[in-house]
Amino acid sequence: MSITAGRVIPCKAAVAWEAGKPLVIEQVEVAPPKAMEVRIKIKYTSLCHTDLYYWEAKGHTPLFPRIFGHEAAGIVESMGEGVTDLQVGDHVLPVFTGECKECAHCKSEESNMCDLLRINTDRGVMLNDGKSRFSINGNPINHFLGTSTFSEYTVVHVGCLVKIDPLAPLDKACILSCGISTGLGATLNVAKPKKGSTVAIFGLGAVGLSAAEGARIAGAARIIGVDMNPKRFEEARRFGITEFVNPKDHNKPVQEVIAEMTNGGVDRSVECTGNANVMISAFESVHDGWGVAVLVGVPSKDAVFMTKPINFLNERTLKGTFFGNYKPRTDLPSVVDMYMRKELEVEKFITHRVTFSEINKAFDYMIKGEGLRCVISMEE
């Protein structure tokens, strides 16, 4: 056991006190893990758009003060009762969704949507006792997505921790715990393009480019990027994108443009914007008879998807995916292994690096649309 096991650990954390206000580096106290929980030392974390969205608190109930962060890599410091498959010193990725391995979803080969540990953006406490493990002067600080990685130490349910190859560099592997794996899995696990096929990627942010990376790995011959920001096109070439379509450059629906480019439509499409109209375009851009469209982006809860039923009768398939259909504990180690074998190129997603004290710079980069992923080193 570590010398700090069973003790409260004082450490630094970036606390969001109000919606949209800069995070403040505070001294917090992190309680020991309880049953089925693990306390880990975060080494590197990165900023995902989901953190930004809930920090801005637009369109949902705000929950503050809160410690955000969910894309990260760390090392196990101590474990609570009942944790048997991790040891002190193990290298782990905390994940916003989990795998209890006991529920119907976890036991199904067709689902990764764990009943117990599925994403919950409204919960600011631990499942074990409904209390926070973070406090300042005795006052609790809310958790985020069960991970709260903008802290030097955090407590996570064991079902949301992925043990990875200790040789994998944590400053790279950290970005595999959310967005990159989501896009990659959407292509490799759900769209499943065949070698030599044609794939359209709608939305060329980090998730869309990781979907393109999946198409590249699968051996797609043509990868068409669709985005209204032409500044993204040149960068996207590094991720396998071979052609570009800007819907604003055409006076007809983009699905018609793609159909003309591809003799009837693409074999596969992956939608990564969350815009319902773009989802419709992604579906209607696939070829009849065998085309498959995969929805990755998360729409507003009131969004409506409308298309003609004949599109389904003509044997186009529409699928959705959650976290790229990866079961975190079972499948993510293999994604890290892909990186270690140099099949998956992770480094090109990392466009900025900052120290923990500069964490607000990461928010600035994302708000301005600069870069893909900013990795934050917890050690100055």
Side-chain angles (χ1 to χ4, degrees):
M1 296 292 287
S2 65
I3 59 173
T4 48
R7 302 179 185 177
V8 170
I9 294 180
C11 71
K12 290 187 294 183
V15 179
W17 291 99
E18 296 180 62
K21 297 293 178 67
L23 307 188
V24 181
I25 303 295
E26 304 276 14
Q27 180 90 345
V28 302
E29 293 188 329
V30 184
K34 297 198 174 183
M36 302 308 290
E37 296 175 357
V38 180
R39 188 163 59 186
I40 63 175
K41 179 178 176 60
I42 298 294
K43 301 292 285 184
Y44 297 92
T45 185
S46 60
L47 179 65
C48 171
H49 195 270
T50 302
D51 296 304
L52 180 73
Y53 180 74
Y54 283 91
W55 167 72
E56 291 178 326
K58 295 176 181 177
H60 55 85
T61 304
L63 184 61
F64 296 94
R66 202 168 201 181
I67 298 174
F68 287 101
H70 64 284
E71 266 192 5
I75 299 174
V76 173
E77 175 270 337
S78 62
M79 299 154 294
E81 180 184 352
V83 177
T84 58
D85 54 354
L86 289 174
Q87 297 180 343
V88 172
D90 281 346
H91 288 200
V92 292
L93 303 181
V95 182
F96 68 90
T97 186
E99 182 183 355
C100 72
K101 298 191 175 183
E102 298 296 331
C103 70
H105 282 278
C106 286
K107 290 181 177 180
S108 168
E109 294 181 358
E110 300 179 35
S111 175
N112 64 340
M113 301 183 71
C114 176
D115 284 331
L116 178 67
L117 300 170
R118 191 178 304 185
I119 184 173
N120 185 330
T121 57
D122 296 327
R123 188 174 62 235
V125 294
M126 299 298 290
L127 283 172
N128 179 291
D129 58 2
K131 295 180 180 179
S132 174
R133 301 291 175 262
F134 298 110
S135 63
I136 296 179
N137 299 324
N139 298 312
I141 307 295
N142 289 294
H143 292 247
F144 180 63
L145 299 183
T147 52
S148 291
T149 61
F150 293 168
S151 176
E152 292 178 315
Y153 286 87
T154 189
V155 178
V156 181
H157 191 287
V158 65
C160 295
L161 286 174
V162 178
K163 182 179 177 180
I164 64 170
D165 182 349
L167 296 178
L170 297 181
D171 66 323
K172 315 287 196 318
C174 63
I175 69 168
L176 296 176
S177 64
C178 181
I180 308 308
S181 294
T182 295
L184 183 76
T187 301
L188 294 179
N189 299 335
V190 188
K192 298 180 180 178
K194 296 177 181 177
K195 189 171 183 178
S197 61
T198 301
V199 180
I201 308 294
F202 288 75
L204 300 179
V207 174
L209 292 178
S210 59
E213 182 79 350
R216 180 191 67 79
I217 292 170
R222 296 175 69 185
I223 307 175
I224 301 169
V226 182
D227 201 293
M228 291 194 295
N229 182 357
K231 293 180 180 178
R232 290 180 168 174
F233 291 170
E234 196 56 44
E235 180 179 55
R237 293 186 191 279
R238 298 190 296 127
F239 297 84
I241 300 285
T242 57
E243 301 159 70
F244 303 97
V245 175
N246 185 338
K248 293 192 294 186
D249 293 340
H250 302 273
N251 56 9
K252 64 178 73 172
V254 69
Q255 51 267 48
E256 293 182 17
V257 175
I258 290 175
E260 290 176 2
M261 291 172 61
T262 56
N263 192 28
V266 291
D267 302 308
R268 302 289 186 266
S269 71
V270 185
E271 190 286 327
C272 302
T273 73
N275 181 297
N277 290 326
V278 178
M279 292 178 173
I280 295 167
S281 295
F283 174 56
E284 294 182 354
S285 71
V286 300
H287 205 289
D288 59 7
W290 61 78
V292 177
V294 178
L295 306 185
V296 181
V298 180
S300 68
K301 65 181 188 308
D302 298 322
V304 176
F305 183 101
M306 295 180 66
T307 191
K308 296 176 180 178
I310 194 68
N311 287 322
F312 293 97
L313 296 175
N314 285 340
E315 299 183 7
R316 292 179 179 90
T317 299
L318 179 65
K319 293 185 174 184
T321 180
F322 172 69
F323 193 47
N325 277 43
Y326 285 121
K327 291 179 184 286
R329 297 161 80 186
T330 299
D331 298 329
L332 276 200
S334 65
V335 177
V336 175
D337 291 344
M338 285 175 63
Y339 162 61
M340 295 297 284
R341 293 193 302 267
K342 295 183 168 43
E343 296 171 13
L344 170 62
E345 299 171 7
V346 168
E347 287 85 355
K348 60 191 178 185
F349 288 96
I350 302 171
T351 51
H352 297 87
R353 291 184 179 273
V354 298
T355 62
F356 191 33
S357 62
E358 300 172 316
I359 189 169
N360 287 301
K361 283 187 179 180
F363 282 77
D364 292 339
Y365 291 138
M366 184 165 283
I367 291 169
K368 293 176 182 176
E370 297 177 5
L372 297 174
R373 277 295 184 267
C374 179
V375 172
I376 301 152
S377 172
M378 304 303 286
E379 297 172 349
E380 298 293 329

